[in-house]
Structure formats: C-alpha cells, structure tokens
Amino acid sequence: MKAKSIKGKSTDEIKSALEKSTADGFKPTLALVFISVKQDITAIISLLDGQNIQIFGATSSGEISGSDISHEAISILLMDMEPANFRILFNDYAGSEVVEVAKAMTQKALTIFARPAFLLSNSVEKPQDMGLGEKIVQSISHTAGNDVTIWGGSSGDDLMFKETFVFNNTNISNKGILMLVLNEDKIVVNGRAASGMTPIGTEKVITKSEGSWILEIDNQPATDLVMKYMGENLSPEDFKDFNLKHIFLSLIRENKSSIIRATMGFNMDTKGIAVTGKIKPGDKFRFTLMPEFDVLTEVSENAKQFQQTEMPEADALVMFSCIGRIDAFGPMTSEELEGIQSVYNVPMAGFFTYGEYGRATGGNNEFHNMTCCWVALKEK
C-alpha cells in the first residue's frame, strides 16, 4: 500500500496538493480527512468524491500532517488501499440509544470481515455529550470481543465546545458514529496509547459518585480532598476563578492497567468534581502530574521498541492526540509527533481530539484523556 499526506488552509490548496500527489499515477482509494469546522466540509467532500475516493472524516481542534501542526486547516492521509480490504460505516444516533447504534454497526462489520479492526470517530451536538465515545468503545468491545482492535478519537471544533461533526462521502452529522472497518487478515493495525503522566501520592477510592460526578473520595467531600491535594484553602467565592484543567486522575483498572481522566468542573453545593468519562463507587485512582518535556523522548523510545519487537514496517501512521497535549507542551508538541513518525518514516496524519480511543498498555480498549494514540497500518 502506498500513502501520501497532504494539507492546506483552503479547498483550493487541497485541490492543488491532491493534483500534485496524483501526478505520478498514484490513485488513492481512501482518504482520512481531519478538518476544522471553519473550513468548507462539503467542498472537500465534493472534491474527493469526484475522484472516487472514499472518505473517513472528522472535524478537529488542530490538524496533524507529519510532525506539522496546523489550526483551522485541513490534513488528509491518502491511501491506495485495496477497496476489498476496508469498508466505511456511518450511522446517525439521533433519537436512538448510542450503545445500540454502535452495537448494530459492529454486528454489520462482523458480517463483512471475520476479523474486523476499527478506526473510530464520533460527533456530538452538545459539550455534555463529549463522553459518548466511552459508551461506543465499550459497545464495540462487548459485541466483537475484548480482543478487537479499536483506535480513534472524538471529533473537535477548535475548542469552541459547541458541536462537532463526522462525515463520509454522503453524510455529515453532529450526532454521528463513523467507523473505518479494516480486514485484519489483510491489514495489520497496531498502535500504542501513551500519556507520559506520572501518578503521585497514595491510592484513593471513589466512595460516592453520580454519573460523571465524583461526590466523595475516601468518604470525604471530593472538593475538600482535591483542595487538600492542591495545597489550597479556598472559599466558595474563590472557586469562581479556580481552574481545574491541570488536575488529572489515573484510574487503576482491575488488571492493573491505568487510564487518565481529566477534571472538568466542580459544584460547591454537592462538593462534587466532574470528570470526563464514567466513574463508579469503588474505582481506585491516584492523582497525576502533568507530563513533563522528557516524556517527548520517552514516547519516541517506546515507538522504537514497538517497531523492533512488534511491527517492523508500516505503510502509514494515523495520530489521535488529546488537545490538552498542546496546552502542556506548546510548540514542542511537534517533537512528539516527529519522534513517532521518524521511527517508520512513512506518511502520517491525524488530529487533536476531545477524547482518544485505544487499548491501554496491558489492558482493554478504553476512552482516554490527555493521551497520544498512534496507529501503524500495513497492507499484507
């Protein structure tokens, strides 16, 4: 399989880049499109569809093309993958239970390929629905089995947190599930989820919760314990200006793997702390530090080890990285991308997400926060 990545800040720039990429006879059959909501999505669809290229598309909060990061732009990974080896499934979950829609889509995928792998994205109409990806990932895993391969990320909207979109050649939806289903008997799909975040302090237990709200930790009001952890002594008035974005929890799974949960807000009436994704009484966690710059080297070294021990070659790389990593690393985020791409030296594209999907190291398929999920593809 041959792959090429192209990028642009307008439909005209993408048209020009597409023409240049195909001038040598390259005939892509599949395009992974990561695009700002401020761009003309319908024009890009029309351009690619006119070339008989199948589209897997998601809106972004920053676009990745190689090690380059753009904002309010377009990044596309073009591949000449054999059409018999993939299928793009799209469904709108408006008016339906998202778990059941994901289940039906997975069941369809299982009729297409005996061993399907999934690249996944979904859109949301409202900010409070950002955690829907967790339900979708769990539904796919439950239907196809825990060993199924899932990678992806929730679509974004340039940090406006209003509504996001996924699309293919014929549909655009702010309540959609989009699956690129790959035949794992013909396509190797493998990757890693890396956060680089360091747990600190003692293990704690969520003793009371409601939905995504942690109400008590170790039988203490959640806000009180978080303030103790932060070394702060704040009044209710102080909370008006308090920023929780640098507080993360490392949830400890039964198999000893861990995943990151970001805090999103607080409620002084209930003394609750809101987090992304689902939590329940009995969940154990440790508070977690923001990643430091040395993690950039660590991620690259892990990618080298992965290549040496698990997947020596790849045709293309796809990146699903949390928008919070730009906040943590700033311009140095490109170093993390370059470190991964340099291991395989093949075209790479992706986007900054509102939540990442993939297998936790040594664990199950999960909904992640503050994580870099990269995927290597190789056609056999």
Side-chain angles (χ1 to χ4, degrees), residues 338-355:
E338 183 178 7
I340 294 171
Q341 187 187 26
S342 65
V343 172
Y344 287 101
N345 195 28
V346 296
M348 181 173 80
F351 72 109
F352 290 95
T353 76
Y354 286 163

Side-chain angles (χ1 to χ4, degrees), residues 149-345:
T149 299
I150 305 170
W151 296 100
S154 177
S155 57
D157 66 349
D158 296 318
L159 289 177
M160 293 186 292
F161 296 106
K162 292 183 179 178
E163 60 178 348
T164 72
F165 299 87
V166 292
F167 55 93
N168 62 3
N169 295 62
T170 55
N171 303 279
I172 305 175
S173 176
N174 64 353
K175 286 187 174 183
I177 301 175
L178 182 67
M179 296 176 176
L180 171 58
V181 186
L182 301 164
N183 181 1
E184 276 202 296
D185 288 326
K186 300 294 184 179
I187 308 289
V188 180
V189 186
N190 211 340
R192 281 291 180 268
S195 70
M197 302 186 75
T198 305
I200 61 172
T202 59
E203 186 177 287
K204 303 188 182 303
V205 179
I206 296 171
T207 47
K208 185 178 180 181
S209 68
E210 184 177 322
S212 294
W213 284 91
I214 300 174
L215 302 178
E216 291 184 2
I217 302 170
D218 289 343
N219 297 307
Q220 301 177 53
T223 53
D224 292 355
L225 193 140
V226 169
M227 287 303 96
K228 181 180 179 181
Y229 157 73
M230 291 293 293
E232 303 281 356
N233 184 18
L234 303 181
S235 68
E237 290 75 19
D238 293 327
F239 264 86
K240 295 177 182 178
D241 301 314
F242 188 70
N243 194 336
L244 290 173
K245 69 179 181 179
H246 295 306
I247 302 177
F248 297 89
L249 313 180
S250 178
L251 286 186
I252 304 166
R253 295 308 201 197
E254 291 180 0
N255 56 21
K256 302 303 180 183
S257 64
S258 63
I259 58 171
I260 302 299
R261 286 287 176 263
T263 53
M264 295 180 64
F266 55 86
N267 185 319
M268 285 307 293
D269 293 329
T270 64
K271 298 285 185 138
I273 299 290
V275 298
T276 54
K278 291 169 56 179
I279 41 85
K280 64 183 185 302
D283 279 349
K284 298 177 181 179
F285 73 92
R286 292 170 67 190
F287 286 111
T288 304
L289 295 176
M290 286 283 283
E292 298 180 350
F293 291 115
D294 58 4
V295 73
L296 301 176
T297 302
E298 178 186 333
V299 170
S300 177
E301 290 301 317
N302 287 343
K304 290 178 183 178
Q305 183 181 20
F306 174 85
Q307 182 203 37
Q308 293 168 359
T309 59
E310 297 193 43
M311 191 171 176
E313 295 181 339
D315 295 325
L317 296 174
V318 189
M319 176 71 71
F320 304 96
S321 189
C322 181
I323 184 60
R325 295 184 84 79
I326 292 183
D327 186 44
F329 299 133
M332 294 184 71
T333 309
S334 292
E335 291 190 16
E336 179 170 71
L337 303 177
E338 183 178 7
I340 294 171
Q341 187 187 26
S342 65
V343 172
Y344 287 101
N345 195 28

